[in-house]
Amino acid sequence: MQQAIAVLDSGVGGLTVVKEVMRQLPQEKILYFGDTARTPYGSRPAEEVLAFTSEIVDYLIQYQPKMIVIACNTATAVALEEIRRRVNLPIVGVINPGARAAIGRTKSGVVGVIGTDGTIKSGAYEHALKRLSPKVEVISRACPSFVPLVEAGNFNSSETFRTVSEALLPLRRSDMDCLILGCTHYPFLCHPISEVMGQDVVLINSAEETAREISTILHEKSELAGRGEVPIHQFFCSAEPRKFQEIAQIWLGEQIWLMPVVWQVYQLRA
Ligand code: DGL
């Protein structure tokens, strides 16, 4: 049986990474865990986010994946190093890929970062960006109201536009030319976010760069799935399976079937 790439997030946000992995590596099997029972992670203490992340990693390891992707910036900020120390598998986070993508795009050298309270407080993006380019100016803002809108499937309503405007208008500065969507939930809101930020600000979604990193690691380890493989993906969530299913189907553009297994499990026909 094909070994999967395991992907985890606090909820539906990591599906933004999954979509890009499916696009770049269509032959790869995905095992996804969304912790919808305990979302959002962004305002929780770091020790709690680390404990939840470790618990999910242990759960996913039972399925013998070939790699684990922490498709959650909040969890990447606090748990990536610890999980890497503990687990003998390639562990990929989403912060370094996002920072790399922004440094590759910015011309003005002024980069905005939006994320959860936990991610912004950790300073992880600022650190990653300055390591790549010490002179970069970083303007950060926590947007804790965005994740609940996404988990509710509320991507384009007038309430969403109002919330996004209130949060981002103070960030509008003529010299910022890139804005990192430093939470994997935020690409669901890219329409209202780009309306507010205007055409001159490039939105950086770390999914594309993360999928590229996954591909590079698997290539180096000679673990890429063979061409012509037709993967059966599996989706788990810890609560609200109907809502999860609805959002996943809209975002991935695929049908998802409910599987009667311990914890909520879905299978997606590729
Ligand atoms: N999607 C996650 C992130 O990238 C977590 C959001 C949350 O649960 O607050 O940070």
Side-chain angles (χ1 to χ4, degrees):
M1 207 181 63
Q2 196 195 137
Q3 266 189 299
I5 299 171
V7 182
L8 65 95
D9 179 49
S10 66
V12 297
L15 295 172
T16 59
V17 176
V18 166
K19 187 172 185 169
E20 189 55 29
V21 175
M22 286 176 170
R23 194 183 70 78
Q24 290 188 30
L25 300 167
Q27 69 282 11
E28 296 294 338
K29 174 181 164 81
I30 310 282
L31 195 61
Y32 183 87
F33 194 105
D35 195 5
T36 41
R38 300 183 292 196
T39 194
Y41 279 8
S43 43
R44 292 181 184 274
E47 311 77 64
E48 196 168 42
V49 174
L50 173 60
F52 292 173
T53 308
S54 301
E55 199 179 348
I56 297 168
V57 165
D58 290 344
Y59 181 80
L60 290 169
I61 280 176
Q62 296 176 71
Y63 293 86
Q64 301 177 329
K66 57 185 171 185
M67 165 185 277
I68 294 179
V69 181
I70 304 181
C72 171
N73 292 263
T74 314
T76 299
V78 302
L80 182 69
E81 293 312 320
E82 173 63 23
I83 303 289
R84 276 188 176 150
R85 265 193 295 277
R86 198 166 64 71
V87 176
N88 189 22
L89 279 176
I91 313 287
V92 174
V94 282
I95 291 182
N96 282 334
R100 264 200 314 273
I103 294 298
R105 292 296 293 270
T106 184
K107 291 195 172 62
S108 68
V110 182
V111 172
V113 181
I114 51 174
T116 65
D117 279 322
T119 301
I120 298 302
K121 261 192 224 136
S122 75
Y125 267 105
E126 184 139 10
H127 188 70
L129 287 162
K130 288 204 183 280
R131 207 175 46 221
L132 293 166
S133 175
K135 288 202 176 124
V136 71
E137 185 185 340
V138 185
I139 300 169
S140 306
R141 188 169 175 89
C143 301
S145 50
F146 290 7
V147 168
L149 290 170
V150 173
E151 288 293 328
N154 195 355
F155 311 139
N156 280 309
S157 69
S158 50
E159 180 202 352
T160 301
F161 271 83
R162 207 172 35 252
T163 307
V164 170
S165 301
E166 277 165 17
L168 298 188
L169 277 177
L171 269 191
R172 284 196 54 162
R173 272 186 43 172
S174 54
D175 43 0
M176 180 200 292
D177 61 356
C178 284
L179 177 66
I180 298 178
L181 306 181
C183 171
T184 51
H185 282 73
Y186 297 175
F188 282 96
L189 304 180
C190 64
H191 181 48
I193 293 173
S194 64
E195 285 271 305
V196 175
M197 295 309 294
Q199 289 175 350
D200 297 337
V201 177
V202 179
L203 303 185
I204 307 285
N205 168 0
S206 58
E208 209 175 298
E209 191 68 20
T210 303
R212 220 169 285 134
E213 184 168 320
I214 292 168
S215 169
T216 305
I217 294 171
L218 292 179
H219 177 72
E220 280 167 1
K221 292 173 70 69
S222 303
E223 285 185 359
L224 281 166
R227 276 175 207 282
E229 294 248 17
V230 181
I232 305 288
H233 307 300
Q234 284 181 294
F235 290 82
F236 302 74
C237 69
S238 48
E240 303 275 0
R242 299 274 161 227
K243 194 78 212 166
F244 180 91
Q245 182 176 33
E246 185 191 319
I247 294 174
Q249 287 185 174
I250 292 171
W251 186 254
L252 300 174
E254 307 257 5
Q255 287 296 310
I256 285 177
W257 284 272
L258 186 63
M259 294 287 293
V261 186
V262 196
W263 238 331
Q264 312 291 346
V265 180
Y266 301 95
Q267 285 209 349
L268 171 76
R269 200 175 286 157

